[in-house]
Amino acid sequence: MQAAKVVFTESGVDAPVRAIAERAGVGVGTLYRHFPLRSDLISAVFRHEIDECVAAAGELEASHPPGEALDLWTMRYTEFVATKRGLATALHSGDPAYEPLRDYFATHLAPTLDRLLRAATQSGEVHQHVEAADFLSAVANLCHGSGAERMVGLLLLGLRHDGAPGTTRA
């Protein structure tokens, strides 16, 4: 799975299976024995990535103030989305093999972000209410093209705006 993650990051989810097998140091047959369909491999890699992203939230919450934990986690999520070329296309391809992955994405990442947003709001570091699912979508949309981190940084700054003209909190 680590080899597939690297190849997907470099070449997208449509990368040749042979490239993944070579990177893993196994034969193509071995790869197909573990992952009979490309969608099985893609789903396994992204479930693992989602789980790591969720785990990172807990670590960040334990070691940083709520607003900083939110920012760091959002940048972690941004990196995840920005480096996974072709994931959105696969998820929205209509292929029923990806339906569980889309649900997994929503049921694991949205509650994690919701928890981070609530903590940052309760601490007074975030002033704007936003639904976690909407925020995840906004970040994903900002990851198309260059400058994703800068654009997501602006989105995070917008959460800190208290509504009074010309004021923000950093």
Side-chain angles (χ1 to χ4, degrees):
M1 279 199 331
Q2 183 62 32
K5 175 184 168 182
V6 171
V7 172
F8 289 164
T9 298
E10 293 171 350
S11 304
V13 297
D14 292 326
V17 173
R18 182 170 305 286
I20 298 167
E22 285 175 12
R23 171 93 45 159
V26 300
V28 173
T30 300
L31 188 64
Y32 279 120
R33 271 192 298 282
H34 291 283
F35 305 100
L37 302 172
R38 176 180 289 276
S39 60
D40 295 333
L41 178 60
I42 292 170
S43 294
V45 168
F46 289 110
R47 274 193 176 94
H48 179 73
E49 287 285 298
I50 289 167
D51 291 344
E52 285 185 350
C53 207
V54 169
E59 295 166 12
L60 292 168
E61 287 173 303
S63 59
H64 297 281
E68 188 177 349
L70 172 65
D71 291 350
L72 291 169
W73 186 86
T74 301
M75 289 305 176
R76 166 73 170 78
Y77 173 71
T78 299
E79 179 183 327
F80 163 65
V81 174
T83 60
K84 303 307 181 243
R85 295 185 303 175
L87 175 61
T89 302
L91 289 178
H92 301 291
S93 67
D95 185 335
Y98 295 114
E99 188 73 31
L101 183 58
R102 207 167 57 229
D103 293 343
Y104 194 82
F105 195 87
T107 60
H108 287 72
L109 290 174
T112 299
L113 177 58
D114 188 55
R115 188 177 71 238
L116 290 165
L117 285 166
R118 270 195 325 263
T121 300
Q122 289 171 352
S123 74
E125 295 175 72
V126 165
H127 299 281
Q128 299 295 320
H129 174 73
V130 63
E131 296 294 326
D134 292 340
F135 191 82
L136 290 171
S137 293
V139 171
N141 287 330
L142 291 172
C143 288
H144 299 295
S146 62
E149 289 180 4
R150 186 175 74 75
M151 297 306 292
V152 171
L154 291 171
L155 180 65
L156 286 165
L157 186 59
L159 291 177
R160 285 161 170 76
H161 191 277
D162 67 6
T167 61
T168 58
R169 297 194 183 194

